[in-house]
Amino acid sequence: MNVSRLKTRAGVIETIDAGSGEAAVLLLHGNSGHKEVFARQVEELSPRYRVVVPDLLGHGGSEDAAEPGRDYTLAGHAGYLAELVATLELGPLVVAGLSLGGHIGLELAAQSPRARGLLLAGAPPFAKTEASIGKAWAEDPVVLLSGKAELSAHEAEEFVLRQQVGDAAAIQALLAAVARTDGRSRTTVVGALLDEAAADQRQLVERLDMPIAVVNGSADQIVNLGFIEAAPYRRLWRGQPFRIVGAGHMPQVSHPEAFNALLAAFIADCVAA
């Protein structure tokens, strides 16, 4: 497994680059997370595909954003990731995004001619209205921490525990990831959702002409599953959303076998098509 550091206009991105093959898979972590949350997916997929897993700017081993107001928005993240995809010459490309990574992945897939499919996990496509955003996520004070610059030790613990990863080592690793995260990334991305230049993600999934897989944990306490599953996807993979029984907001960590089976089947379908 190769870990490289690649320069983009927004900053240096630290990236896992494993496996080989014509088809590539790009895995994007969530708010205040890190690339290591996809360790089991890299292990599963790299014998068949090239698997690229970056730390988002302001997270993990990547630099903080050069211009936070620009680079920490959904469009900003998608912009430097498009540069990363081009530099690495990835494609045909399947994008899989968890939570914030799903929202970024949606904007990236919508602009990338290399993209062949998109998997969303814990990422509700919202219309650009306060009402829609209010319905997309659970009414839980912990959800509000995703937009807070500084988290106390107690808040960080509550934020991580609500992800329901289950494993003590994963919890400690996520706590360290939260502590490392540039707090401006949280405030900026949440604060910019209704900006004039921001995309309406409900419209994106309605227009996007590629398969979209929707995979969530049945016990996810962060998002509104009914809202996610009712989105007007133009090409919903296999005609239905999938729920992994007993999993929370990070099914790829807590239930890797079930998640990997769905992800591998989705990639195979996208590559065959």
Side-chain angles (χ1 to χ4, degrees):
M1 183 186 304
N2 179 45
V3 177
S4 60
R5 293 178 62 79
L6 301 173
K7 185 174 178 56
T8 72
R9 66 173 179 82
V12 174
I13 308 300
E14 186 168 285
T15 302
I16 294 172
D17 191 345
S20 61
E22 181 182 359
V25 184
L26 180 68
L27 304 176
L28 303 176
H29 67 76
N31 187 332
S32 304
H34 57 172
K35 59 185 179 300
E36 285 75 18
V37 298
F38 289 113
R40 295 290 295 276
Q41 288 66 55
V42 174
E43 179 183 344
E44 171 71 21
L45 299 172
S46 57
R48 287 168 286 171
Y49 307 106
R50 186 176 180 186
V51 184
V52 174
V53 194
D55 279 323
L56 298 175
L57 278 179
H59 296 72
S62 293
E63 291 183 343
D64 291 347
E67 296 186 28
R70 176 195 69 186
D71 301 325
Y72 284 149
T73 66
L74 294 179
H77 283 296
Y80 69 74
L81 288 172
E83 185 179 347
L84 184 76
V85 167
T87 299
L88 294 175
E89 299 181 336
L90 302 182
L93 178 66
V94 177
V95 180
L98 167 73
S99 196
L100 172 62
H103 296 289
I104 295 167
L106 176 54
E107 302 216 3
L108 175 63
Q111 65 175 272
S112 175
R114 303 168 188 258
R116 298 292 181 270
L118 171 68
L119 184 145
L120 299 176
F126 53 87
K128 204 166 68 170
T129 67
E130 290 185 3
S132 182
I133 290 174
K135 294 176 182 177
W137 285 273
E139 294 183 5
D140 187 327
V142 172
V143 174
L144 300 178
L145 298 178
S146 63
K148 187 177 180 182
E150 301 296 332
L151 303 183
S152 69
H154 174 73
E155 289 172 331
E157 184 176 7
E158 288 296 305
F159 183 80
V160 169
L161 291 178
R162 200 69 94 248
Q163 314 299 312
Q164 299 166 270
V165 295
D167 179 79
I171 290 172
Q172 291 305 310
L174 283 172
L175 284 171
V178 172
R180 177 273 172 265
T181 301
D182 182 357
R184 296 173 298 175
S185 70
R186 289 190 287 264
T187 57
T188 302
V189 74
V190 172
L193 295 180
L194 294 175
D195 283 359
E196 183 177 353
D200 184 309
Q201 295 214 324
R202 216 72 170 173
Q203 292 180 2
L204 287 182
V205 298
E206 188 173 19
R207 298 170 181 170
L208 196 59
D209 190 18
M210 68 178 64
I212 298 179
V214 176
V215 178
N216 296 293
S218 68
D220 194 329
Q221 300 175 13
I222 302 294
V223 297
N224 181 340
L225 294 179
F227 179 90
I228 294 174
E229 294 172 353
Y233 305 99
R234 179 174 179 177
R235 293 178 59 186
L236 182 63
W237 180 57
R238 296 191 176 177
Q240 67 178 81
F242 293 86
R243 294 190 184 186
I244 297 177
V245 176
H249 194 59
M250 300 185 71
Q252 88 287 3
V253 175
S254 63
H255 293 66
E257 293 83 5
F259 184 87
N260 288 352
L262 288 167
L263 176 57
F266 177 63
I267 295 167
D269 284 356
C270 292
V271 172

